[in-house]
């Protein structure tokens, strides 16, 4: 019996040796909290929680598999991965479905959102390209990297999905920032976006996207229409107080005042039921995940590993900030899920895959120093 237990322990150690345990612990804690809040938000619909749990298991399996691949091998595979991730991004424009466009591909058993794949493959591709150039990047390098970012971003905008397009573009831009691109480049990019904003308003944005921006500026202008979501979200956040109303006691979600309470606005449910204590706990876990990713990036011994780990960590930070700002009325509603809390399979799996790449950087760091 002792030999069997020792064999099982050795097997577990070999299985876990490429996983970063502090990072894994924070991820698992967020998953448990996410499924608990989802169970409450979905009116105790266990089926929804089971499906999300299945997505988490699949994502953890992919995270473990990617953590075992040395970064230099990931670097060699990056162009192929990036190219393959563009294929479903084109297909979704032809056969996709969605409420406001073509965002999802129906595989029969599950719906897949191809744009989520680019949150991982695009920063990998930009890091791969920058690692082969002299740094800090020169004009030609920035131009090519800009094209790499613009192609998938443009395809996502055609769906149209402004929120995901913004996050994908930001994930690629972070790789450029970490490569030493001066701040004034980003200032120029922001100025260019501001310059074309009037044109985009009339020619690119759909009516529902214009409504989201107008609602952000003045949600009380249409409290029973376009302003309903954000007003009810603010009520839920304020009603939580210090310790919340208690698990399963949130009136905004259970009385159906709060729309999209299992997806985009699930953090408002957390705020109402667990109050500031619950919000602070989750934000502390998020901060730890982000900090751990950036620490792993700082400890990386090669350019590709440093860029990809840092870009994925900073992108994770943006996901949290955008969703938090969205549900609190500080940013327009753009349909961005809260990482590991909002219901969604493709988002969870792609996010865990990215964290698996970060773990690979940590696990194989001593071997591939140069």
């Amino acid at each position: 019996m002792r030999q069997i237990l020792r064999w099982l322990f050795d097997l577990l150690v070999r299985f876990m040796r490429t996983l970063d345990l502090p990072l894994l612990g924070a991820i698992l804690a967020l998953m448990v909290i996410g499924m608990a809040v989802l169970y409450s938000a979905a009116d105790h619909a266990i089926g929804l929680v089971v499906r999300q749990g299945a997505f988490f298991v699949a994502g953890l399996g992919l995270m473990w598999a990617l953590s075992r691949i040395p970064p230099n091998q990931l670097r060699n595979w990056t162009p192929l991965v990036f190219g393959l991730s563009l294929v479903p991004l084109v297909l979704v424009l032809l056969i996709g479905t969605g409420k406001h466009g073509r965002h999802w591909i129906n595989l029969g058993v599950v719906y897949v959102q191809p744009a989520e794949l680019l949150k991982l493959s695009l920063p990998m591709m930009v890091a791969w390209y920058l690692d082969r150039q002299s740094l800090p990047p020169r004009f030609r390098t920035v131009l090519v990297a800009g094209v790499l970012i613009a192609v998938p971003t443009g395809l996502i905008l055609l769906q149209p999905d402004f929120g995901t397009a913004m996050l994908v573009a930001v994930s690629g831009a972070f790789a450029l920032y970490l490569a030493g691109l001066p701040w004034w480049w980003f200032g120029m990019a922001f100025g260019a976006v501001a310059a074309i904003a009037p044109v985009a308003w009339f020619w690119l944005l759909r009516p529902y996207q214009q409504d989201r921006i107008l609602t952000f500026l003045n949600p009380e202008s249409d409290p029973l229409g376009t302003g309903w979501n954000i007003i009810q979200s603010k009520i839920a956040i304020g009603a939580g107080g210090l310790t919340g109303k208690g698990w399963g006691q949130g009136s905004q979600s259970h009385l159906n005042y709060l729309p999209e309470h299992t997806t985009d606005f699930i953090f408002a449910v957390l705020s109402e039921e667990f109050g500031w204590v619950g919000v602070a706990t989750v934000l502390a876990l998020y901060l730890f995940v982000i900090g751990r990713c950036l620490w792993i990036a700082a400890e990386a011994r090669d350019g590709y590993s440093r860029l990809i780990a840092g870009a994925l960590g900073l992108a994770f930070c943006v996901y949290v900030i955008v969703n938090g700002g969205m549900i609190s009325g500080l940013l327009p509603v753009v349909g961005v899920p809260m990482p590991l809390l909002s219901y969604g399979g493709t988002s969870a799996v792609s996010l865990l895959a990215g964290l698996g790449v970060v773990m690979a950087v940590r696990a194989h760091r001593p071997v591939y120093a140069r």
Side-chain angles (χ1 to χ4, degrees):
M1 184 64 180
R2 183 177 298 178
Q3 291 180 341
I4 294 176
L5 291 175
R6 181 176 299 176
W7 178 78
L8 290 174
F9 178 76
D10 290 341
L11 182 64
L12 180 62
V13 169
R14 288 197 297 269
F15 181 83
M16 300 282 287
R17 64 185 175 86
T18 58
L19 298 176
D20 185 76
L21 295 183
L23 183 55
L24 178 63
I27 292 169
L28 292 176
L30 286 168
M31 286 181 177
V32 171
I33 294 172
M35 287 193 290
V37 178
L38 179 62
Y39 180 71
S40 173
D43 290 327
H44 306 163
I46 190 65
L48 200 67
V49 179
V50 170
R51 285 196 294 273
Q52 184 71 350
F55 291 133
F56 281 157
V57 170
L60 287 171
L62 185 57
M63 182 180 72
W64 171 79
L66 288 172
S67 73
R68 300 180 64 85
I69 303 175
N72 68 333
Q73 189 64 59
L74 287 173
R75 180 170 52 231
N76 294 337
W77 291 349
T78 290
L80 177 62
V81 171
F82 179 70
L84 291 177
S85 66
L86 292 178
V87 175
L89 205 58
V90 174
L91 287 178
V92 76
L93 298 175
L94 304 175
I95 61 173
T97 183
K99 182 178 180 181
H100 294 294
R102 299 179 181 271
H103 306 153
W104 304 85
I105 294 178
N106 185 1
L107 298 182
V109 179
V110 66
Y111 283 84
V112 175
Q113 188 176 7
E116 291 288 338
L117 305 176
L118 273 298
K119 291 181 181 179
L120 175 59
S121 66
L122 177 60
M124 288 178 64
M125 186 61 194
V126 177
W128 175 86
Y129 173 71
L130 293 175
D131 185 50
R132 302 165 69 89
Q133 309 299 318
S134 60
L135 299 180
R138 300 177 180 178
F139 178 78
R140 177 183 176 278
T141 302
V142 176
L143 186 63
V144 175
V147 172
L148 291 174
I149 295 171
V151 170
T153 301
L155 290 173
I156 297 171
L157 285 173
L158 290 175
Q159 295 181 9
D161 188 347
F162 178 80
T164 304
M166 176 192 67
L167 296 181
V168 167
V170 165
S171 67
F174 277 137
L176 274 169
Y177 169 72
L178 293 170
L181 187 66
W183 276 102
W184 61 267
W185 276 95
F186 297 97
M188 288 179 56
F190 180 80
V193 171
I196 65 172
V199 177
W201 178 266
F202 292 104
W203 298 99
L204 298 179
L205 295 184
R206 302 285 182 90
Y208 77 91
Q209 292 172 322
Q210 294 175 341
D211 288 340
R212 286 178 174 179
I213 296 175
L214 294 175
T215 300
F216 161 68
L217 296 174
N218 185 16
E220 285 74 21
S221 63
D222 188 11
L224 298 180
T226 57
W228 177 267
N229 292 17
I230 189 58
I231 291 174
Q232 298 305 316
S233 179
K234 288 181 179 180
I235 292 173
I237 295 171
L242 180 62
T243 58
K245 294 182 176 180
W247 185 39
Q249 303 301 314
S251 58
Q252 293 301 109
S253 59
H254 290 285
L255 296 179
N256 292 323
Y257 286 107
L258 184 64
E260 308 295 340
H261 48 268
T262 62
T263 52
D264 295 346
F265 287 88
I266 196 169
F267 200 67
V269 178
L270 170 77
S271 302
E272 183 179 23
E273 297 188 354
F274 295 95
W276 172 245
V277 173
V279 170
T281 300
V282 171
L283 291 180
L285 288 170
Y286 281 141
L287 184 61
F288 180 84
V289 170
I290 296 163
R292 187 69 179 176
C293 290
L294 296 180
W295 181 83
I296 291 173
E299 292 291 307
R301 303 288 181 85
D302 66 272
Y304 175 82
S305 298
R306 182 174 63 255
L307 292 176
I308 188 59
L312 291 173
L314 291 174
F316 188 98
C317 179
V318 172
Y319 305 157
V320 175
I321 291 174
V322 170
N323 183 272
M326 183 182 76
I327 62 109
S328 58
L330 299 177
L331 292 172
V333 176
V334 290
V336 174
M338 184 61 86
L340 302 178
L341 290 189
S342 297
Y343 176 78
T346 313
S347 174
V349 172
S350 63
L351 181 65
L352 291 171
L355 293 172
V357 172
V358 175
M359 290 185 182
V361 172
R362 172 62 178 164
H364 301 278
R365 180 179 63 92
V367 178
Y368 295 96
R370 65 183 185 185

